[in-house]
Amino acid sequence: MTDSNELDPEDRKIVTLARSARARNGVPEGAAVRDETGRTYVAGTVALDSLKLSALQTAVAMAVASGARSLEAAAVVTEAETASEQDRAAVRDLGGAGTPVLVAGPDGTVRTTVTAG
C-alpha cells in the first residue's frame, strides 16, 4: 500500500477526484483519468438497465468524447484488489500499454499501481 501523500501531486489529485466521485454519487467505484494536456475527467459507475460501465470505462469515454488523444495516468477507487482487464483495456486503448493505473481503496490509500498493458 502507498500513502497517498507519497504520490506525485498530479497522481494524488486523480485519486482524490476518484474518491470524491464515488462518495458523492454513492456508486461502487469512482475513477479519474488525466490526458496528455493535464486535463482530468472524473466519473462514477454507470448502472442503467440498458447500459453498464465501470467508473474507469466511463472516465475514459468522457476523455475521448472531449477530444483527448492520449492518457498520462488513471485512478480507480474500488473495493476490488486490482483493476479489471476490461478497465485496463479501456485505458490501454487511449493511453497505451504503459499507462499507469492507480488502484485505491475507499479510504484513498493506493493498494497497487498496474499498467494498462
Side-chain angles (χ1 to χ4, degrees):
M1 290 195 210
T2 302
D3 181 346
S4 63
N5 291 324
E6 295 175 12
L7 293 175
D8 170 271
E10 292 300 313
D11 289 345
R12 188 175 337 122
K13 176 182 171 183
I14 61 173
V15 170
T16 299
L17 290 169
R19 185 174 181 222
S20 296
R22 180 181 184 269
R24 180 178 54 252
N25 297 324
V27 292
E29 295 181 339
V33 298
R34 185 175 61 247
D35 75 9
E36 76 283 1
T37 68
R39 290 181 296 178
T40 55
Y41 306 88
V42 182
T45 307
V46 174
L48 301 173
D49 289 341
S50 63
L51 179 63
K52 304 224 183 292
L53 295 172
S54 72
L56 199 47
Q57 290 169 330
T58 306
V60 170
M62 290 173 64
V64 170
S66 296
R69 294 191 176 124
S70 184
L71 295 178
E72 291 182 347
V76 61
V77 173
T78 180
E79 295 282 348
E81 292 299 315
T82 193
S84 71
E85 176 53 39
Q86 295 87 352
D87 283 350
R88 292 174 50 233
V91 172
R92 183 173 56 243
D93 285 348
L94 186 58
T99 306
V101 179
L102 293 91
V103 182
D107 65 354
T109 301
V110 176
R111 292 185 185 131
T112 188
T113 301
V114 296
T115 61

